[in-house]
């Protein structure tokens, strides 16, 4: 059995919440569910990506998403991605490319060559889709190139590419000047998706059902936000380690009642923990923010290592893909597609106004500042995954800029005159480096050394903290 | 070489050796130059605004140092080199920079560029990823925003006539370049890859009218040439992204071959597609930059249902160039960390195979230090096809 | 290393000398020694082909040909049925697919990083204070190979040091190191989609532990030449002979350099 074999398999990770612990079987069930649907022909299957604002449309048309990033992440977490990565390399793809995509393309080519699931594929493998939904976006090139590359081996599978731009932050421009035409374009793209799905499934979209699902996801957005805000408590009841699990329903089950129920339950669990004064860590010494970067999926145990040093993670920017709708000032509309497009734009431009009001700020930096204050953060950790330019380019600059414009910690230093002086310093930060699923890029010894050094920095900053 | 020829080529050499010298002079006299990276930046608007579009280049001989303290090393090394040179004030005569939605390396580093460098003008042009009716509609509006940003910067309106004039000038520039390439069809070519690289590089650093005048002189001289500057040998097509240096062409030449045509950004990708000169110039430029420019960053829908059909639609221009210039082999030269091209390697390989064109794939880090390793591979490839 | 092969009816002489920064001097030296062993004057040599990294630093060479083409030719001569060649040298490794005439049609190289070459094992052997020619056999005594990084020599060193401190047996650590190198090389080679028979050449052939690990990772048997260190030079000599014969057949003159070994003066 793949589960039990090598000594390489990591120890089962400790989670702070019961909710997070329930994710494993949930993910296994999606994958098993799509394999069943393929076998029994009960649903159309679509390869697709998370964060495309199209889950409501897919679910309204009973199309089952096959989340290819998720499958690659599972391979990574099970430390069984290497053979698929090597397969992709043997086709001519460079290891420096998004390793999720390499894993997926390697897997697809192998499956097509064999005419069946590759041997011992994690959790039954990734089902062959009926069609593939890519997204141009502005965020990530692999989202436009990945399925196109796989299509070389499955030319009978059509692709619909939804372009989903948002206006980049430009300091001298109010983004509202351009939102109108961005909105019009996104609406057309989403309507195009609906037309594509109608053609592929032979069914018409039920717009009442779509409206219900959009309404449901709106409520889930607000619920998730309220739930995560509970982590402001001291001690914080849930950390980023758990959030890397709870991102599953948020990103893979949006617009479903199960997702709503999951977060309702999680919210209750967190409220109970707070009432009992129970934190992620028994003795919370330091509160850290995961300030950017996808996690190293094969090394989630590192969060437990941090916990062991008294560090909790009340907040993270990664996979926090929802923001409170009532703070977005969205134009009212009865049309669910128009609403989805406004919500998309509202999410991506959420921090623009605030960033413009603070000299030297920028939306990602602004978010860091706001959350340092909201969650009372002592230090920031980011992870540089070498194969992902999307989420990792700019992290060094963000930390630099943050240090430049935001110095919230009063410390006592020995000044030039030899006397103790009070000065303000920036929030300490740590940069970890490896990859999302390529474990050869990771050195546990090296990483843990870095974590140890960081904890010492936090101790020293605290020791020198002025009143 | 005639004396006249010596002087125009010497002028090209002079400007190449001190890249930007002419535009720097013009800026000292009050002109405004706007720098750009990537073929997707619509240059016509910059010209119509009365400014000089200036192509920012990297430098493979300059180790990336200061840039690395601000930008991750997983960014395309060409982009990093350009950024590093900007930080080192190599292009301090510029008034601004325009960056398009070309690739993640550019898009995700836009904030780093615009906050770290002190130019008064920065703009991002959000080129769509797909080519549909709605994309053209969106892109026209986006180009109008771009136009407005230039108007705000210069304090002057850009009229439709200004744009139309710029369209004609830039088309002229492209047609003259195409005429230059014609000299490479001969066997052996009448202009060497090294010379052509220098001419095109200098051209991209000048106001377009001056570039056109330079090209006219070069074309006249080449027209008088009777002797080829290179010997007969394997004819190579160079495929790739922003190859702004001649290291590959030089190594090919040293190994007895010659690069006779390219499908790279500083070459035919940039310079072949024309813009329509009639009708609304904004719409015409939207069409040229969204659809006619052929780059992996643009998603082309597979309407044929087969891989062969898809490959022909996406890469047909490569096949056409290979045929026109009778190539014997091709080199696909990519930078490490390049996603748009990187994902296409298997498809491109299959396409070259379908045309029976031997292909060498090189992945490089954009540095003069790797020349020895490149030499071995290129020489071995030429030995293989020779 | 610097090697020379003189080819007549058969191999008249073969010499293996040290490598170093003074490539021209080393080239001269091995040439002199080879001539002495063959009992030949320099003028008797019809054609000289240089190959390898230092090929541009052989002033008396008539032609320079890459080691890709030369290894392919040399191995084809020794194993006419071979279709894939893997060369594991001290500084790099490469894999070459060859056709039935011994001409390469696809190749891939790893010359960017010590972790993909014989240097990897050299450095670790040094760290552990074990002679390089003993590590291979010692690794074969392992019953449970340790897991060692295949990506970075420095990390591997750290892991070996850490392993020694934890009391992991030396053969297990060495087996881990050999597996790492084999993994790295096979990943490179598999990008070519191997065709059998596969021949291994280069200094790596002297290491039985590496051969065993490579056979495991590649999933096939490896043919080994008797003199793995000279297959590149042999191939170069064969290419030279081809050039001479072609010139004779076509009645064309052959351009050659003066048969003189110039004295190399060191500066300062």
């Amino acid at each position: 059995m793949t589960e039990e074999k090598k000594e390489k398999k990591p120890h089962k990770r400790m989670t702070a919440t019961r909710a997070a612990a329930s994710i494993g079987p949930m993910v296994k069930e999606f994958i098993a569910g799509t394999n069943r649907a393929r076998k029994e022909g009960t649903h159309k299957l679509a390869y697709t990506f998370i964060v495309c604002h199209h889950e409501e449309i897919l679910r309204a048309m009973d199309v089952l998403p096959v989340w290819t990033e998720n499958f690659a992440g599972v391979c990574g977490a099970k430390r069984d991605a290497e053979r698929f990565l090597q397969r992709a390399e043997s086709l001519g793809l460079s290891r420096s490319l998004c390793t999720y995509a390499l894993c997926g393309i390697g897997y697809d080519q192998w499956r097509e060559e064999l005419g069946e699931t590759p041997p011992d594929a994690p959790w039954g493998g990734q089902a062959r889709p009926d069609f593939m939904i890519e997204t141009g976006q502005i965020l990530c090139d692999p989202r436009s190139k990945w399925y196109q590359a796989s299509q070389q081996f499955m030319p009978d599978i059509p692709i619909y590419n939804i372009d989903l731009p948002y206006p980049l932050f430009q300091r001298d421009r109010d983004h509202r000047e351009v939102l109108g035409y961005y909105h019009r374009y996104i609406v057309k793209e989403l309507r195009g998706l609906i037309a594509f799905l109608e053609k592929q499934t032979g069914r018409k979209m039920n717009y009442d059902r779509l409206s219900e699902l959009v309404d449901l996801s709106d409520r889930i957005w607000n619920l998730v936000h309220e739930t995560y805000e509970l982590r402001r408590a001291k001690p914080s009841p849930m950390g980023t380690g758990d959030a890397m699990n709870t991102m599953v329903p948020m990103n893979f089950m949006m617009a479903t009642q199960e997702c709503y129920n999951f977060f309702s339950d999680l919210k209750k669990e967190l409220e109970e923990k707070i009432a009992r004064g129970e934190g992620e860590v028994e003795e919370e010494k330091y509160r850290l923010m995961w300030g950017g970067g996808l996690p190293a999926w094969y090394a989630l145990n590192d969060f437990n290592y941090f916990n062991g040093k008294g560090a909790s993670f009340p907040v993270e920017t990664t996979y926090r893909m929802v923001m409170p709708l009532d703070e977005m000032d969205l134009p009212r509309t009865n049309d669910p597609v128009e609403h989805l497009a406004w919500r998309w734009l509202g999410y991506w431009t959420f921090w623009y106004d605030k960033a413009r009001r603070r000299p030297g700020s920028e939306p990602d930096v602004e978010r860091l500042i706001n959350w340092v204050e909201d969650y009372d953060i002592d230090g920031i950790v980011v992870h540089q995954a070498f194969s992902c330019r999307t989420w990792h380019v700019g992290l060094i600059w963000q930390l630099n800029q943050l240090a430049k414009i935001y110095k919230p910690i009063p410390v006592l230093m020995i000044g030039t005159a030899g006397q103790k002086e009070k000065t303000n310093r920036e929030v300490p930060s740590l940069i970890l480096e490896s990859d999302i699923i390529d474990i050869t890029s990771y050195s546990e010894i090296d990483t843990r050394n870095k974590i140890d050094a960081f904890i010492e920095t936090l101790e020293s900053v605290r020791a020198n903290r002025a009143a | 070489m005639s004396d006249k020829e010596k002087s125009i080529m010497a002028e090209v050499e002079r400007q190449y050796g001190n890249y930007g010298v002419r535009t720097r002079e013009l800026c000292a006299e009050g002109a405004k130059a706007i720098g750009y990276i990537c073929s997707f930046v619509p240059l016509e608007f910059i010209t119509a605004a009365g400014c000089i579009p200036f192509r920012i280049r990297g430098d493979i001989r300059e180790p990336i140092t200061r840039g690395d303290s601000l930008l991750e090393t997983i960014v395309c090394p060409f982009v990093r080199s350009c950024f590093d040179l900007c930080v080192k004030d190599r292009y301090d005569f510029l008034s601004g920079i325009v960056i398009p939605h070309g690739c993640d390396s550019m898009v995700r580093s836009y904030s780093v560029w615009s906050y770290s460098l002190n130019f008064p003008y920065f703009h991002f042009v959000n080129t769509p990823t797909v080519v549909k009716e709605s994309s053209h509609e969106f892109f026209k509006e986006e180009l109008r925003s771009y136009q407005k940003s230039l108007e705000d910067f210069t304090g002057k309106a850009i009229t439709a006539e200004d744009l139309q004039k710029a369209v004609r000038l830039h088309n002229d520039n492209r047609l003259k370049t195409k005429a230059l390439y014609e000299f490479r069809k001969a066997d052996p070519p009448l202009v060497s890859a090294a010379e052509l690289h220098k001419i095109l590089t200098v051209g991209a650093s000048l106001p377009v009218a001056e570039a056109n005048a330079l090209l006219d002189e070069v074309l006249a001289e080449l027209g008088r040439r009777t002797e080829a500057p290179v010997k007969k040998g394997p004819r190579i097509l160079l495929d790739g992204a922003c190859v702004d240096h001649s290291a590959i062409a030089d190594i090919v030449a040293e190994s007895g071959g010659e690069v006779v045509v390219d499908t790279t950004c500083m070459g035919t990708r940039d310079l072949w597609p024309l813009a329509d000169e009639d009708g609304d110039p904004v719409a015409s430029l939207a069409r040229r930059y969204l659809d006619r420019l052929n780059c992996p960053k643009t998603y082309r829908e597979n309407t044929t249902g087969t891989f062969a059909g898809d490959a022909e639609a996406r890469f047909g221009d490569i096949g056409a160039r290979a045929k026109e210039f009778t190539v014997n082999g091709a080199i696909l030269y990519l930078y490490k960390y390049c996603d748009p091209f990187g994902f296409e390697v298997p498809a491109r390989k299959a396409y070259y195979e379908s045309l029976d064109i031997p292909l060498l794939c090189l992945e490089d880090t954009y540095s003069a230090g790797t020349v020895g390793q490149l030499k071995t591979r290129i020489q071995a490839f030429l030995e293989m096809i020779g | 290393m610097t090697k020379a092969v003189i080819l007549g009816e058969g191999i008249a002489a073969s010499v293996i000398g040290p490598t170093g920064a003074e490539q021209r001097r080393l080239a001269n030296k091995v040439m002199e020694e080879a001539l002495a062993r063959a009992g030949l004057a320099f003028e008797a040599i019809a054609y000289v082909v240089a190959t390898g990294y230092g090929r541009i630093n052989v002033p008396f060479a008539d032609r320079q040909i890459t080691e890709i083409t030369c290894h392919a030719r040399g191995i084809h001569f020794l194993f006419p049925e071979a279709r894939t060649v893997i060369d594991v040298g001290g500084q790099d490794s490469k894999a070459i697919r060859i056709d039935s005439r011994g001409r390469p049609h696809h190749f891939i190289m790893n010359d960017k990083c010590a972790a993909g070459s014989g240097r990897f094992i050299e450095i670790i052997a040094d760290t552990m204070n074990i002679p390089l020619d003993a590590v291979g056999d010692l690794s074969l005594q392992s019953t449970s190979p340790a897991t060692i990084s295949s990506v970075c020599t420095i990390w591997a060193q750290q892991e070996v040091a850490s392993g020694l401190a934890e009391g992991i047996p030396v053969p297990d650590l060495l087996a881990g190191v050999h597996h790492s190198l084999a993994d790295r090389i096979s990943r490179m080679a598999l990008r070519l989609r191997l065709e059998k028979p596969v021949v291994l050449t280069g200094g790596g052939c002297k290491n039985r532990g590496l051969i065993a690990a490579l056979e495991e990772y590649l999933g096939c048997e490896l043919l080994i030449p008797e003199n793995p260190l000279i297959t590149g030079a042999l191939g170069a000599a064969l290419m030279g002979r081809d050039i001479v014969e072609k010139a004779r057949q076509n009645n064309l003159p052959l351009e050659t350099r003066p048969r003189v070994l110039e004295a190399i003066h060191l500066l300062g």
Side-chain angles (χ1 to χ4, degrees), chain A residues 8 10 76 79 82 95 290 295-306 383-386 432-451, chain C residues 147-152 155-156 158-159:
Chain A
K8 282 187 195 181
R79 301 190 170 188
E82 186 61 23
R95 187 64 74 115
W290 182 265
W297 289 106
Y298 43 77
L300 292 175
N301 278 315
D302 284 343
F303 284 110
N304 292 141
Y305 187 76
F306 270 108
H383 175 233
Q384 291 276 10
F386 77 78
L432 295 175
E433 291 171 300
S434 65
D435 183 52
I436 27 182
I437 58 175
D438 182 349
I439 196 178
T440 63
S441 66
Y442 172 76
S443 161
E444 193 178 81
I445 297 177
D446 208 49
T447 301
R448 297 203 170 176
N449 276 340
K450 285 198 173 123
I451 295 174
Chain C
T147 303
I148 303 288
S149 165
S150 62
V151 158
C152 172
W155 283 357
Q158 283 177 349
E159 287 163 24

Side-chain angles (χ1 to χ4, degrees), chain B residues 135-146:
Chain B
S135 323
H136 280 288
E137 290 306 313
F138 169 82
F139 196 37
K140 274 191 289 193
E141 304 261 20
E142 181 68 5
L143 289 179
R144 290 195 187 100
S145 294
Y146 170 45

Side-chain angles (χ1 to χ4, degrees), chain A residues 329-398:
Chain A
D329 195 23
L330 301 180
R332 292 189 162 287
T333 170
N334 286 328
D335 184 318
V337 177
E338 303 224 351
H339 176 73
L340 284 175
W342 285 126
R343 197 176 72 189
W344 171 263
L345 291 167
Y347 173 84
W348 289 104
T349 59
F350 191 86
W351 298 99
Y352 285 22
D353 287 334
K354 278 194 169 161
R356 239 195 302 279
R357 287 198 287 270
R358 190 195 307 260
S361 191
E362 183 267 0
D364 289 326
V365 175
E366 191 61 29
R367 178 174 51 176
L368 292 175
I369 294 173
N370 277 261
W371 285 355
V372 162
E373 293 177 355
D374 288 349
Y375 290 81
D376 199 12
I377 296 297
D378 301 306
I380 301 175
V381 178
V382 306
H383 175 233
Q384 291 276 10
F386 77 78
S387 72
C388 176
R389 269 149 286 297
T390 300
W391 292 115
H392 304 86
V393 173
L395 290 178
I396 295 177
W397 177 82
Q398 281 173 38

Side-chain angles (χ1 to χ4, degrees), chain C:
Chain C
M1 287 185 236
T2 315
K3 309 122 186 171
V5 163
I6 300 181
L7 192 65
E9 286 296 323
I11 295 181
S14 79
V15 170
I16 297 168
T19 191
E22 310 160 19
Q23 287 176 333
R24 287 184 297 164
R25 231 186 210 196
L26 294 165
N28 281 3
K29 218 163 170 274
V30 294
M31 190 70 242
E32 268 172 7
E33 226 187 288
L35 287 169
R37 284 202 203 167
L40 290 171
F42 204 6
E43 294 72 30
I45 305 293
Y47 206 73
V48 180
V49 172
T51 188
Y53 280 116
R55 66 186 181 281
I56 49 173
N57 279 329
V58 181
F60 53 83
D62 301 317
R63 225 355 225 276
Q64 292 154 19
I65 301 182
T66 66
E67 56 269 43
I68 306 288
T69 305
C70 291
H71 271 291
R73 189 76 174 78
I75 294 295
H76 174 73
F77 179 76
L78 297 170
F79 300 92
E81 44 340 330
R83 290 294 174 265
T84 307
V85 179
I86 300 178
D87 171 39
V88 180
Q91 288 167 172
D92 68 6
S93 51
K94 49 183 93 67
I96 312 166
R97 289 274 302 277
I98 62 180
D99 64 17
S100 53
R101 290 177 305 148
R103 293 193 49 142
H105 61 88
H106 270 112
F107 63 89
I108 187 158
M109 297 178 70
N110 174 20
D111 50 5
K112 298 190 164 111
C113 172
S117 72
R119 178 80 75 230
F120 185 63
I121 296 194
E122 257 182 68
I123 291 176
I124 304 290
D126 205 51
T127 308
M128 296 174 83
N129 230 341
I130 300 177
L132 186 56
D133 53 18
V135 288
D137 289 350
L138 204 50
S139 78
L140 289 172
Q141 290 173 20
S142 162
T143 49
S144 170
T147 303
I148 303 288
S149 165
S150 62
V151 158
C152 172
T153 311
I154 307 296
W155 283 357
Q157 271 183 299
Q158 283 177 349
E159 287 163 24
V160 163
S162 172
L164 282 173
E166 284 170 36
I168 297 181
V170 165
D172 288 345
L173 289 172
L174 284 176
V177 168
H178 282 72
H179 277 230
S180 288
L181 182 57
D183 177 35
R184 187 73 185 245
I185 295 170
S186 69
R187 263 178 59 183
M188 175 194 71
L190 289 171
R191 292 179 67 164
L192 277 189
R193 309 204 121 186
L194 301 184
E195 197 188 334
K196 297 187 229 192
V198 181
V199 176
L200 181 70
T201 189
C205 291
K206 300 275 183 181
N207 182 324
R208 291 193 316 136
L210 182 61
I211 296 173
L214 271 171
E215 286 182 331
E216 193 190 311
Y217 277 81
L218 293 169
C220 67
E221 196 202 328
L222 293 173
L223 301 174
I224 315 285
E226 231 181 274
N227 284 317
L229 295 176
I230 59 151
T231 51
L234 172 62
L238 288 162
M239 296 295 298
R241 188 161 72 184
D242 288 350
I243 292 171
V244 169
E245 276 173 10
K246 192 163 173 206
R248 275 197 198 132
Q249 275 169 22
N250 297 332
N251 225 340
L252 287 171
L254 208 55
E255 254 186 66
T256 61
R257 315 268 349 243
R259 293 287 176 251
V260 172
L261 293 177
E262 284 171 14
I264 311 291
H265 299 288
L266 283 183
L267 297 169

Side-chain angles (χ1 to χ4, degrees), chain A residues 155-169:
Chain A
D156 56 320
I157 313 285
I159 297 177
Y160 182 84
N161 189 327
I162 328 171
D163 204 359
L164 285 172
Y166 59 85
L168 231 53
F169 181 73

Side-chain angles (χ1 to χ4, degrees), chain A residues 88 90-98 101-102 105 134-142 144-146 148-149 151-153 155-156 159-163 165-173 177-178 181-182 184-185 188-189 348 355 360-364 384-397 400-401 404 433, chain B residues 68-76 101-105 107-112 114-117 120-132 134-138 141-143 145-146 148-149 295-302 305-307 310 314 335-350 363:
Chain A
S90 77
L91 300 170
L93 295 166
S94 163
R95 187 64 74 115
S96 68
L97 300 174
C98 167
L102 292 181
I105 298 168
E134 291 199 314
T135 162
Q137 292 210 354
I138 185 183
L139 194 56
C140 168
D141 292 332
S144 196
K145 307 300 291 177
W146 175 345
Q148 185 181 51
Q151 198 189 44
Q152 179 177 353
F153 314 107
D156 56 320
I159 297 177
Y160 182 84
N161 189 327
I162 328 171
D163 204 359
Y166 59 85
L168 231 53
F169 181 73
Q170 306 210 64
R171 274 185 289 187
D172 56 355
R173 178 184 75 182
E177 290 170 28
V178 302
Y181 66 81
Y182 271 81
R184 278 195 293 277
Y185 184 38
K188 292 213 172 101
E189 286 294 285
W348 289 104
S361 191
E362 183 267 0
D364 289 326
Q384 291 276 10
F386 77 78
S387 72
C388 176
R389 269 149 286 297
T390 300
W391 292 115
H392 304 86
V393 173
L395 290 178
I396 295 177
W397 177 82
N400 260 330
Q401 195 70 0
K404 252 203 225 161
E433 291 171 300
Chain B
D68 272 356
S69 62
L70 292 165
L71 204 50
E72 283 76 3
T73 53
I74 58 173
V75 169
C76 160
H101 177 187
C103 65
D104 286 342
S105 285
V107 172
R108 307 309 283 160
S109 64
Y110 181 70
S111 289
V112 186
S114 61
Y115 281 73
S116 310
L117 302 171
Y121 177 77
F122 268 99
H123 194 80
F124 180 80
V125 176
N126 202 347
T127 318
T129 301
V130 298
V131 186
K132 300 175 192 166
S134 52
S135 323
H136 280 288
E137 290 306 313
F138 169 82
E141 304 261 20
E142 181 68 5
L143 289 179
S145 294
Y146 170 45
K148 179 166 183 301
S149 79
C295 167
K297 154 259 181 307
T298 306
Y299 178 78
R300 306 275 176 191
E301 193 188 333
N302 181 2
T306 65
F307 173 67
D310 191 35
R314 286 156 67 191
Y335 297 125
K336 197 170 173 188
Y337 302 123
C338 176
D339 294 299
F341 278 88
F343 277 102
E344 294 207 330
V345 171
R348 276 177 192 253
K349 271 168 76 164
E363 185 185 75

Side-chain angles (χ1 to χ4, degrees), chain B residues 275-288:
Chain B
D276 296 329
E277 291 180 12
D278 49 347
D280 170 25
V282 176
S284 151
L285 290 169
R287 267 194 308 277
R288 183 208 181 255

